[in-house]
Amino acid sequence: MQTRPPIAASLVRPLVRRLRAYVPGEQPRVKGLIKLNTNENPFPPSPKVLRAIRVAVDGRLRLYPNPTAEPLREKLAAWHQCRPANIIVGNGSDELLALATRAFVEPAGASRRGGRSHGTIQFFSPSYTLYAVLAEIAGARSNPVPLAADFGLPGELAKGGWDFRAALTFVTTPNAPSGRGYATAELEELCRAQRGVVVLDEAYADFAGENAMALALRHPHVIVARTFSKAYSLCFQRVGYMAGSEELIAGLQKIRDSYNVNGLGQVAALATLSDLPYYRRGFRRIIATRQRLARELGGLGFSVLPSEANFILARPPKFPAEVWLEKLREQKILVRWFAQPETRDYLRITIGTDAQAEALLRAARAVAA
Ligand SMILES: *Cc1c(COP(=O)(O)O)cnc(C)c1O
């Protein structure tokens, strides 16, 4: 008997068909564009890192890498004064954020046990837009809670619809795209009130005055996520990690892919940790450029929010932000614009080199003239 072939799209799960996938910042293939749209570090990895990668490229590529990234976890543990069992390494921190949704969250509709909202993933709005997508993929309920008008933490969480029993809460600190940093004391208070897991996403912590790593090692339900991408100039290699209690980390370890971190990534991250002073010099330069750029854009009529990250959020004068995006692109400067109501009046601008900041200022003067 002849049967008609199935319609391919109907073979995809309805949840996946409905899904609005995460849209990463553009990686343009146009030459000569100054790229200030995805918070990449303008400085290359340390020469020692480049050498370590080159040396590792030989016949050993045929072998599987260390399945648990053990040497890297040992070195990270020594740095953060914890044990290797407190650390998991991932294919970028994005992978680990996704693993957290699979390890700690039940699909929505699952019964409430132990007084937690098993199916809820909670985060502030605006923050990293990936969290809502991860919640959808997990079939979980999203609970986005608006930040205060100045993008600070809301004064009274409960009034804003905060769920103290959410299975998983993501807090980006310093926040993106606002750049705003939160005091560790304030974060600790939030963590103490929370019954489920709290992930403090510290992708930009190296550009901030303080960080919350101590909270992950003090509170068994708190995890800190870090990445080698932004601060350590390794976006291309995809290496991130989480630190937290042995129990939570063991849960994540169980469900990851056996070889989730590629070998050259492990080599690069290990070599990075052997040359931290190189990177700290870069952080100081980026912070100095951030302050100068904020001041000079302010002089051009931009309203620039204070930032503790390697980017600034700025409301441009004269034209809507979306128009600025296009006009700057015509001047060969690529920045980021988010269409959500809370951020649509702003541009997010990555801090590049001093020369890139000069080029941006020249372009902004031309657009504003
Ligand atoms: C860039 C970014 C990440 C992801 O970093 P990768 O390690 O490259 O996956 C996670 N969280 C936030 C807030 C980020 O901005």
Side-chain angles (χ1 to χ4, degrees):
M1 194 182 89
Q2 280 252 312
T3 55
R4 261 193 289 166
I7 295 170
S10 72
L11 302 177
V12 177
R13 289 172 63 204
L15 180 146
V16 178
R17 266 185 274 153
R18 279 196 309 269
L19 186 72
R20 285 154 300 158
Y22 178 74
V23 184
E26 183 187 350
Q27 295 294 342
R29 299 179 63 184
V30 190
K31 279 227 178 78
L33 221 50
I34 295 183
K35 206 176 164 302
L36 305 176
N37 68 330
T38 49
N39 300 341
E40 288 144 328
N41 197 311
F43 305 119
S46 130
K48 289 181 186 158
V49 170
L50 298 179
R51 201 175 314 130
I53 295 172
R54 279 195 202 101
V55 166
V57 176
D58 62 18
R60 284 171 296 172
L61 290 186
R62 73 190 175 80
L63 298 172
Y64 280 110
N66 187 296
T68 60
E70 201 173 1
L72 181 53
R73 282 169 43 242
E74 283 166 3
K75 205 148 183 167
L76 286 167
W79 185 22
H80 295 306
Q81 299 180 329
C82 60
R83 290 191 291 163
N86 297 117
I87 307 269
I88 179 171
V89 183
N91 182 37
S93 56
D94 280 352
E95 182 201 18
L96 299 171
L97 301 175
L99 284 180
T101 68
R102 284 160 54 194
F104 307 132
V105 185
E106 300 282 4
S111 67
R112 280 178 164 224
R113 273 179 292 111
R116 286 184 286 123
S117 312
H118 274 259
T120 300
I121 297 178
Q122 174 167 255
F123 45 86
F124 289 109
S125 175
S127 69
Y128 191 26
T129 51
L130 179 67
Y131 307 140
V133 178
L134 292 178
E136 266 191 81
I137 293 171
R141 194 176 327 107
S142 265
N143 189 36
V145 174
L147 286 167
D150 64 355
F151 298 109
L153 297 181
E156 272 193 77
L157 282 173
K159 273 197 186 153
W162 189 259
D163 181 354
F164 292 98
R165 297 166 172 235
L168 179 58
T169 299
F170 288 117
V171 181
T172 321
T173 174
N175 198 10
S178 70
R180 179 152 179 159
Y182 306 124
T184 303
E186 202 177 9
L187 292 172
E188 183 156 38
E189 198 184 324
L190 181 148
C191 289
R192 279 187 198 284
Q194 215 53 36
R195 300 284 296 273
V197 174
V198 181
V199 171
L200 302 172
D201 185 348
E202 291 202 325
Y204 302 102
D206 295 285
F207 305 104
E210 53 180 318
N211 69 70
M213 183 56 85
L215 301 187
L217 305 173
R218 197 182 299 150
H219 299 284
H221 66 306
V222 177
I223 287 176
V224 161
R226 296 272 182 96
T227 173
F228 284 88
S229 292
K230 287 29 180 282
Y232 299 95
S233 304
L234 277 183
C235 291
F236 196 80
Q237 289 285 352
R238 314 297 306 127
V239 189
Y241 61 99
M242 279 182 168
S245 63
E246 279 193 38
E247 291 80 2
L248 295 189
I249 297 300
L252 295 167
Q253 292 284 15
K254 271 188 174 173
I255 59 169
R256 66 173 173 78
D257 286 346
S258 309
Y259 303 101
N260 63 324
V261 188
N262 80 83
L264 293 179
Q266 294 188 37
V267 164
L270 260 176
T272 298
L273 296 179
S274 301
D275 202 4
L276 291 178
Y278 167 90
Y279 293 92
R280 293 193 181 116
R281 286 193 291 280
F283 304 156
R284 285 195 291 272
R285 289 171 70 181
I286 287 167
I287 290 166
T289 305
R290 179 180 79 201
Q291 272 145 1
R292 195 168 65 79
L293 189 64
R295 201 170 52 239
E296 306 224 352
L297 284 174
L300 290 176
F302 282 72
S303 162
V304 184
L305 293 168
S307 167
E308 299 224 36
N310 68 336
F311 56 85
I312 51 174
L313 194 68
R315 196 174 60 226
K318 281 197 172 182
F319 310 106
E322 196 181 3
V323 174
W324 269 91
L325 178 75
E326 286 317 310
K327 288 181 179 279
L328 286 175
R329 196 187 171 104
E330 284 161 19
Q331 308 266 342
K332 301 272 189 234
I333 310 271
L334 187 57
V335 298
R336 190 94 184 260
W337 176 75
F338 297 93
Q340 290 93 317
E342 310 97 309
T343 46
R344 56 173 302 124
D345 293 339
Y346 294 88
L347 297 173
R348 195 196 66 187
I349 304 169
T350 301
I351 306 302
T353 61
D354 275 332
Q356 290 174 329
E358 274 312 317
L360 168 70
L361 286 165
R362 265 197 310 278
R365 279 184 211 108
V367 171

